[in-house]
């Protein structure tokens, strides 16, 4: 088993093309010594410019969403063919903000995952409970159902290509991080679930990230947990210095 850690920045609706290029001008010269995998996920409008600037560097590129269809009458949507041509290595799927504000469901998440895999774009699939669900004591059941629904009718060799991100909704953008042991508990349960659905080989290969107020101050503690393979980072990925501090956590 050798899962390469991944730190991915989810920029959400932040950074114009100019700001993205300025970020990369400052960030890229720093990353020569980084040994883990890094990715940025800027808004759609920045992807082409970012891809040009990232050519020949170690930093991968991801989108924040996509439609599952290749073409068609879906005004305002972006297809996997479009992302592939940029090219994007990753696409975030089912972020809690997409589920909450744009009515994404486990069913659409499953369709998007299948489509991303078909087009050779690695999906970063977000799952996580609300504060009310945590307080009700149903975190594990809820997250396991999200994982099972996400993986519906996906073959083992394709399941291995998925990156999961466990992001408790109450920890996103709030400054409240799940403790490393709470994050490990849920992420360990996700790995066990994948083993039950497939086998140990798939479970050992799938990378599972933690997301929710990850900062340079807490990354080491999170990464020390056995099943946490990296982080999906919002706020702290927006400044080159703090994103570099995260990516260099093990140096
Ligand atoms: C996110 O939106 O995926 C996220 C984890 O945000 P933040 O790091 O700001 O909590």
């Amino acid at each position: 088993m050798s899962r390469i850690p991944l730190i991915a920045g989810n920029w959400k609706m932040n950074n114009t093309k100019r700001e993205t290029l300025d970020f990369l001008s400052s960030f890229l010269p720093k990353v020569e010594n980084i040994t883990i995998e890094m990715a940025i996920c800027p808004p759609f409008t920045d992807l082409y410019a970012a891809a040009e600037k990232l050519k020949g560097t170690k930093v991968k590129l991801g989108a924040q969403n996509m439609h599952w269809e290749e073409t068609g009458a879906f005004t305002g949507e972006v297809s996997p063919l479009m992302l592939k041509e940029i090219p994007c290595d990753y696409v975030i799927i089912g972020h809690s903000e997409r589920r909450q504000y744009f009515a994404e469901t486990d069913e659409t998440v499953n369709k998007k995952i299948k489509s991303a895999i078909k087009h050779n774009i690695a999906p970063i699939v977000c799952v996580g409970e609300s504060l009310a669900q945590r307080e009700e004591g149903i975190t594990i059941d809820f997250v396991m159902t999200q994982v099972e629904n996400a993986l519906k009718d996906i073959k083992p060799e394709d399941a291995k290509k998925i990156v999961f991100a466990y992001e408790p909704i109450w920890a996103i953008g709030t400054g409240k991080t799940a403790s490393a042991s709470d994050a490990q508990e849920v992420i360990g349960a996700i790995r066990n679930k994948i083993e039950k659905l497939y086998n140990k080989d798939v479970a050992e290969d799938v990378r599972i990230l933690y997301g929710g107020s990850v900062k340079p101050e807490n990354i080491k503690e999170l990464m020390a947990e056995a099943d946490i393979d990296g982080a999906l980072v919002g706020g702290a990925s927006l400044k080159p210095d703090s994103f570099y501090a995260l990516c260099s956590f093990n140096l």
Side-chain angles (χ1 to χ4, degrees), residues 10 12 95 97 126 167 171-175 211-214 232-236:
N10 170 18
K12 313 192 186 195
H95 190 280
E97 288 152 16
C126 301
E167 300 207 306
I172 296 178
T174 58
S213 298
V214 175
L232 183 58
V233 186

Side-chain angles (χ1 to χ4, degrees), residues 154-184:
I154 292 180
K155 298 190 197 91
E157 63 271 25
D158 289 336
K160 286 184 176 186
K161 299 172 188 160
I162 298 173
V163 177
F164 276 97
Y166 166 58
E167 300 207 306
I169 296 169
W170 49 270
I172 296 178
T174 58
K176 287 185 202 152
T177 320
S179 69
S181 62
D182 283 347
Q184 165 61 32

Side-chain angles (χ1 to χ4, degrees), residues 13-14 21 25 31 51 53 55 72-73 80 88 100 105-106 110 130 133 155 179 204-205 213 219 239-240 243:
M13 199 171 71
N14 292 293
L21 294 176
S25 294
V31 301
K53 189 107 177 168
K55 262 188 202 153
C88 284
Q100 188 179 351
T105 63
D106 283 359
N110 175 254
S130 66
Q133 288 163 330
K155 298 190 197 91
S179 69
E204 290 293 319
D205 270 10
S213 298
I219 182 82
K239 292 275 174 294
F243 196 50

Side-chain angles (χ1 to χ4, degrees), residues 44 64-68 77-78 91-113 124-126 142 146:
F44 288 131
Q64 298 173 18
N65 178 34
M66 61 167 223
H67 199 281
W68 58 87
E77 290 290 318
V78 168
V91 60
I92 299 173
I93 290 180
H95 190 280
S96 58
E97 288 152 16
R98 300 286 324 164
R99 294 179 191 253
Q100 188 179 351
Y101 305 128
F102 302 96
E104 294 205 7
T105 63
D106 283 359
E107 199 190 341
T108 60
V109 165
N110 175 254
K111 285 184 181 178
K112 290 180 181 197
I113 296 170
I124 300 177
V125 179
C126 301
F142 180 76
Q146 284 185 317

Side-chain angles (χ1 to χ4, degrees), residues 127 139-152 159 164 184-200 202-204 206 208 227:
V127 293
T139 296
I140 298 286
D141 283 353
F142 180 76
V143 175
M144 294 315 114
T145 302
Q146 284 185 317
V147 169
E148 190 162 356
N149 290 341
L151 290 169
K152 192 163 176 274
F164 276 97
Q184 165 61 32
E185 186 193 353
V186 181
I187 289 177
I190 295 174
R191 202 174 301 288
N192 288 338
K193 180 80 187 173
I194 296 170
E195 182 172 344
K196 279 200 197 100
L197 292 170
Y198 298 97
N199 54 50
K200 200 168 179 61
V202 175
E204 290 293 319
V206 169
I208 312 176
D227 287 294

